[in-house]
Each structure stands twice: as structure tokens, then as C-alpha cells.
Amino acid sequence: MSIKVDFQLDAKGFSCPMPIVKTKKMMAELVDGQILEVLATDKGSKADLTAWAETVGHQYIGTVEEENVLKHYIRKCSNDMLDEKTFEHTIELEQVTKREGLILDAREEVEFAFGHIEGAKSIPMGELEARLSELDKEQEIYVICRTGKRSDLAAQRLSAHGFARVYNVLPGMTSWKGTLIKNI
Amino acid sequence: MSVLKWSAAQVAEKVINNEELIILDVRNADAFEDWKIDGRKFEYLNIPYFELLDGVEDILPEIPTDKDVLVVCAKEGSSMMVAEMLSEAGRTVAYLAGGMKTWSEYLEPIKVGDLTGGGELYQFVRLGKGCLSYMVISGGEAAIIDAVRFTDAFTSFADDKNVKIKYVFDTHLHADHISGGRHIAAATGATYYLPPKDAEEVVFDYAPLIDGTTVQIGASQIDVGAIYSPGHTIGSTSFVVDNKYLLTGDILFIDSIGRPDLAGLAENWVGDLRETLYKRYRELSDELIVLPAHFMIIDELNGDGTVAKRLGRLFAENHGLNIEDAVNFRSIVTDHLPPQPNAYQEIRQVNMGKLTPAQDEQTEMEIGPNRCAVR
């Protein structure tokens, strides 16, 4: 399947250390929150990219293998740690699956693909305003992301557009212990 | 400053001679934790290469200037990069050609001793993986026992010694490394022997190796006699060579004993293991020199790099031979087993001839430490 990413890096045929060296260089071009897809044939690149991303604080989303090509997905995070959650209506993560409303996942498409809560609807933060018509103002909406930051913003925007029954889910997917649905 | 390129043979020399060496391993922490180049006097620094992409200045204080420094990675590329960075920072360091991959494949042939009538016995020490193979040479002929998959190492050694390989044996169906046995036999016209009880699923022809199988090598007639000694596998067989050496396969090691679970039948085979170690082997002469198919830790190496010890001393010193209580023994060898070797089930399939992976896949399967023993 093809998945929406912001940048793609072709490191096929390169052996260690080049996939990581090139990824590091490329990541400098991205702005926070953007997604890079790295294509590599070096089998060791998976373990190394995962460890490297953790070291520098980027979010390693996942890897799929298609016809001997590894596709790695990384999201740039450099000051993701600062969280200023301001939306006042919040709901605890464990409550969302017990209620009737809609779980709205504000993460990027590829993050959603690598694991989300069953029944959740995916609308990445950046697409929210263009896709408001897909949402029902009468329904309760629980906005979730990875840590609660993007969902906070998304909830604020929904509220500004007249959605009255919106909640920010805290904490985010990083604390989800239940089943993860994958579609990649 | 210059960047030196060291071969695996140069590193092997340092291991065997107990020399000092600083190893800067730039692989992932997990990979380093799993296995590394072992040396009695080696010191280690593990700093993944991807933490050094912005420069090596921060680690310079940690790297001694008065000792040899070897940078090591998985295949070579990253260690070369880090070595060059260190060189630009004014240090003289070496990197390991071919990285851990090559280290895992390197074989050091070491002479164990002379045999009756001018024969010789060689041990091929695979330092990176802990595998030990053997070549018995006498009167222009050779027999090989437990050959690893690098068949050239054996055939070219035989060429150098001007001997013809007549017999190739595997003491059992290996689960931790890919055997080179039948490939050597096919290339040289030698007869390949395998214990039939381990070979029920193999898809190639072999000669049965059973209790009492004896071959003679060369005109001087060195005896290689088989003793059925099950426990690691149901077919495991040992050899007595020239009434002097006991090749134990994966049943008995210098500082540990074989594990019975790699074919999934620990409960069934633990009794056989006990019988072999506590009855069959005790009927043999204490003076036999034990030559196992593996070593686990570098301390098992003798001063000359061989792995060999008198059977009598093992009876006195090896913990696995000194567990009086049979119930306790059963619990130790079935309940407290270390993790199984990497890809051991696939490796067994390869050794049965059912899978024929490409070279780099074989390398991948054999990655990681040897784990055939219970200590």
C-alpha cells in the first residue's frame, strides 16, 4: 500500500553506516511533525534506525518489508517534549472505549497504520479543517494522538468550529495497553 | 594519524597470546550485549556509530593513547568511518576488516598433538562462534570431524598438508551452526558419516555412524572409533582417536555439559545425557584428552589456543559431571537452560538438507553466541 509521507529517502543498496548517515542529513530538512520514509536494503538498518531515533529523540514509527526492501517511517520531533495542553475538556484513555462517541485519531496516517484503537477514525491534524464535514457535531468526539499534544490542538480547533462535545484524550497512544489494529 | 586495517587472523593472535587490546565496538548496545570479541585482557567501549555522526571529540578522553585500539562493527563500514574520524582527531587506531561477520567466520587451525606413526591432530578453532572442528592426518590421508560451513578452510589445509580427505564425520545433527561436512565430502569424494538416529529426516545419502564404527587413516592405521553417547541429541556419537583423544561433540565441554533440548525433546533425552556422562564416559580411561565441539568462554582456551583437557580432570572439575543426585541433574539440564541459539530450528533444517539458504542468509542464521551448553 502507498502511504502519505512528507519526504522519502532512497538508501537502497547502501550498507551501514550510510542509511543512518543519509537519514540524519535528511531529517535536518524536515520540520517538526513531518514524516520521512526511508527505503533501505541493509537489514541492520532497522535496529540501528530505531536506536538512533531514540538517541536523538525522533519518533520511530515502524518498518515494513516489501520485496526485500525495508521501509522505515520516522517522524521528526525536536521539541515535542514541551507540552502545553490547554483544552479544558479531557477524558482518560481508559474511558474512551467504554463510551459511545467517536475516537478521532489526530496522528499522521502512517502512525495510525502502525497501530490504532479499534473503531478509531483517522484525520491527521493538518487535514482537520478541510475534513470537518466528515464529523458529526451531535456526537461526542474523543481526540487522541501519541502524547496528547496534537489532540489538544485538534480539540481546540474543533471547538472553535462549533463542536461542543469534544474531549482531549489523556494520556495518548503511548499509554494504550489494549489491542492495536494495524493496516500496514 | 593513520588508520590501520586488521585482519581477523591478527585479532585471533591477540586473543590466543593474551595480549591487551581496547575494543571500541560501534554496534548497537543490543548487538554488543549479545556477543563480542572475547579476549582475556581486552577492554571494551560500546558506543554506537550513530551517536558519533557529529564527531568523536566527546569520546576522545575515554580512548587510551598508550594501547592498541580496534574499532569493530557488524560488517566493517561503520568501524571504518569511526576509525577515520578518530584518525582525523589525531589518534592511531585500527578497524577490523569485515567486521563481526568475518570474525564469526574465522578459523584458526592449531595442532593438538602428534599421533602414532607420524600422524597429526589439528583443532580448527572458530573463535568468534566457539565452534571446534578437527582434522586427523596420517599417511597421506585425513578425516574431518564436525566441520563448519567454511569448507575451503579444510580443503585448502588438506592441500597444504598434501593429504587426501577420506572420511568426514558429524558427531550429531548440529543446531547451532551449519555443517560443512557433506559439502566437503561431495567436493573431495570422501565418505560422509552421520548418526542414523539424528538423520531420520535428512534428504541426502550418508554412511551410518554407529557405536563401534571404526575407520583407519593412512598406512600407519590411526584408529578413529565411534562410541554411541546420546543426550545432546539421540544420535550423538563420540570418537576415540589413536587411543589418546576423546572427541565429545556437544555432549561434554571443558567447563560445561551439553544441553538436551535443541531438538525439542529435553525430557526424553535427559536420561541419555546422564547415562553418557555418568556411566559410559566413566568406563573410559582418565588419561584421554577431551576435545569438544565447542567452547563457551575464552577461559576454556589453553595457553596455545587449543581447547583440550584430560578426562580425569574434567571428572574432578566440571560441575556438570559432579551432580550426584539424578533428580537434581534433571532439573538443572531441563529447567535452567540458557536461551536457544539463534535460528536453531532453521539451522537443523539446513543440516538435514531441507533448506538451502544463500551465503548471506547462512551468515545471518549463525549470528550471535554459541549456546549449546548447560553450565
Side-chain angles (χ1 to χ4, degrees):
Chain A
M1 68 179 282
S2 93
I3 201 144
K4 189 178 159 291
V5 296
D6 299 295
F7 288 86
Q8 195 188 53
L9 170 67
D10 186 354
K12 294 198 295 287
F14 287 97
S15 59
C16 182
M18 291 321 288
I20 312 291
V21 171
K22 285 172 172 287
T23 301
K24 178 181 188 290
K25 217 168 175 180
M26 190 79 168
M27 285 302 271
E29 310 287 317
L30 273 66
V31 299
D32 270 13
Q34 285 187 319
I35 308 269
L36 173 66
E37 178 183 55
V38 182
L39 308 180
T41 44
D42 184 345
K43 298 269 184 262
S45 61
K46 184 179 177 184
D48 288 359
L49 263 182
T50 311
W52 169 76
E54 183 161 335
T55 307
V56 295
H58 296 317
Q59 177 195 347
Y60 167 80
I61 299 167
T63 298
V64 285
E65 183 169 355
E66 281 171 18
E67 290 165 4
N68 291 321
V69 176
L70 298 170
K71 296 180 172 182
H72 308 291
Y73 298 93
I74 301 170
R75 180 169 164 264
K76 178 154 176 170
C77 313
S78 48
N79 49 18
D80 210 22
M81 296 301 123
L82 297 168
D83 53 353
E84 298 164 24
K85 297 181 190 80
T86 57
F87 192 73
E88 57 186 334
H89 302 293
T90 61
I91 183 170
E92 285 179 28
L93 179 58
E94 57 237 44
Q95 294 302 316
V96 299
T97 48
K98 294 175 188 156
R99 290 170 64 153
E100 298 286 295
L102 173 76
I103 301 170
L104 177 63
D105 195 319
R107 295 174 302 159
E108 296 301 311
E109 189 184 322
V110 63
E111 295 176 85
F112 184 82
F114 272 97
H116 55 264
I117 299 173
E118 184 167 18
K121 179 179 178 64
S122 167
I123 302 184
M125 243 291 290
E127 298 174 18
L128 184 61
E129 315 228 359
R131 294 174 62 180
L132 289 173
S133 62
E134 295 175 34
L135 300 171
D136 177 0
K137 282 190 176 155
E138 304 308 311
Q139 196 178 19
E140 278 194 346
I141 299 177
Y142 321 117
V143 195
I144 192 163
C145 69
R146 189 168 70 110
T147 62
K149 187 183 162 192
R150 282 174 278 174
S151 54
D152 179 76
L153 266 177
Q156 290 183 47
R157 286 191 195 163
L158 287 173
S159 175
H161 283 280
F163 288 81
R165 307 177 69 192
V166 175
Y167 299 84
N168 182 22
V169 181
L170 292 176
M173 289 302 293
T174 48
S175 301
W176 175 250
K177 299 283 187 295
T179 312
L180 279 175
I181 309 293
K182 295 191 185 206
N183 48 12
I184 194 160
Chain B
M1 293 290 129
S2 52
V3 173
L4 308 171
K5 178 178 182 172
W6 282 10
S7 66
Q10 281 170 283
V11 180
E13 201 178 305
K14 297 214 173 270
V15 173
I16 291 165
N17 296 336
N18 290 321
E19 291 176 41
E20 292 189 348
L21 183 64
I22 309 290
I23 292 193
L24 170 58
D25 195 318
V26 297
R27 293 174 300 154
N28 248 305
D30 291 352
F32 175 74
E33 195 63 32
D34 205 24
W35 68 305
K36 61 179 188 294
I37 301 180
D38 264 322
R40 284 194 185 88
K41 293 192 179 168
F42 290 7
E43 292 170 61
Y44 304 91
L45 272 172
N46 173 224
I47 305 168
Y49 70 93
F50 46 77
E51 292 180 13
L52 300 171
L53 297 178
D54 287 326
V56 293
E57 283 68 31
D58 292 352
I59 65 162
L60 287 179
E62 295 179 57
I63 298 173
T65 50
D66 57 343
K67 286 180 183 165
D68 283 339
V69 176
L70 180 71
V71 190
V72 174
C73 70
K75 284 176 192 158
E76 167 178 296
S78 309
S79 61
M80 207 192 292
M81 179 186 75
V82 172
E84 276 162 12
M85 292 167 89
L86 287 167
S87 163
E88 278 164 29
R91 301 299 184 92
T92 298
V93 297
Y95 70 92
L96 172 61
M100 290 301 282
K101 175 180 179 292
T102 299
W103 178 246
S104 143
E105 297 176 355
Y106 179 73
L107 291 183
E108 175 92 15
I110 307 176
K111 186 169 166 178
V112 177
D114 291 315
L115 305 174
T116 311
E120 295 173 305
L121 177 57
Y122 286 87
Q123 185 175 53
F124 288 68
V125 184
R126 187 177 175 188
L127 283 166
K129 181 80 182 163
C131 300
L132 302 168
S133 311
Y134 296 91
M135 193 184 292
V136 182
I137 289 174
S138 174
E141 294 182 353
I144 299 174
I145 296 113
D146 287 333
V148 295
R149 68 188 162 90
F150 315 108
T151 55
D152 286 353
F154 300 97
T155 51
S156 56
F157 190 82
D159 289 345
D160 288 348
K161 292 278 168 190
N162 208 12
V163 294
K164 179 164 173 48
I165 300 168
K166 295 269 287 185
Y167 309 102
V168 181
F169 301 96
D170 270 320
T171 53
H172 62 287
L173 189 84
H174 296 282
D176 65 298
H177 66 273
I178 295 167
S179 168
R182 80 190 145 96
H183 305 291
I184 294 175
T188 59
T191 309
Y192 177 52
Y193 288 85
L194 197 57
K197 287 183 178 173
D198 279 4
E200 281 170 7
E201 294 177 58
V202 307
V203 298
F204 47 80
D205 290 333
Y206 63 92
L209 171 61
I210 52 168
D211 193 72
T213 299
T214 302
V215 298
Q216 293 180 346
I217 301 152
S220 53
Q221 303 199 334
I222 302 294
D223 264 355
V224 173
I227 301 168
Y228 179 54
S229 53
H232 173 62
T233 62
I234 192 64
S236 288
T237 302
S238 308
F239 291 98
V240 173
V241 176
D242 200 23
N243 290 318
K244 190 173 173 192
Y245 296 100
L246 175 64
L247 276 59
T248 53
D250 282 4
I251 287 291
L252 173 61
F253 308 111
I254 302 300
D255 191 36
S256 53
I257 58 173
R259 61 192 290 171
D261 64 315
L262 294 182
L265 295 163
E267 290 295 329
N268 297 354
W269 293 353
V270 61
D272 288 322
L273 184 64
R274 175 115 186 139
E275 171 107 3
T276 293
L277 294 175
Y278 287 76
K279 287 209 180 100
R280 287 187 185 88
Y281 277 1
R282 270 164 220 262
E283 289 161 10
L284 303 172
S285 161
D286 273 2
E287 296 305 315
L288 288 169
I289 307 290
V290 171
L291 298 170
H294 288 292
F295 68 95
M296 257 50 66
I297 52 169
I298 207 74
D299 285 338
E300 292 174 87
L301 262 63
N302 297 327
D304 60 358
T306 60
V307 179
K309 214 175 226 180
R310 217 166 48 81
L311 182 59
R313 273 191 67 190
L314 294 192
F315 280 133
E317 295 168 8
N318 187 319
H319 171 74
L321 294 177
N322 287 285
I323 305 164
E324 292 283 319
D325 181 44
V327 176
N328 191 14
F329 179 85
R330 172 173 286 269
S331 135
I332 285 172
V333 299
T334 54
D335 300 344
H336 305 287
L337 291 168
Q340 283 150 333
N342 188 45
Y344 72 103
Q345 279 159 324
E346 291 84 353
I347 289 174
R348 294 183 76 246
Q349 300 279 317
V350 176
N351 286 336
M352 290 173 189
K354 290 179 170 179
L355 285 179
T356 319
Q359 282 298 329
D360 59 335
E361 289 173 294
Q362 296 190 17
T363 304
E364 206 63 35
M365 286 179 176
E366 286 191 341
I367 240 149
N370 164 261
R371 290 190 178 123
C372 276
V374 190
R375 198 181 302 280

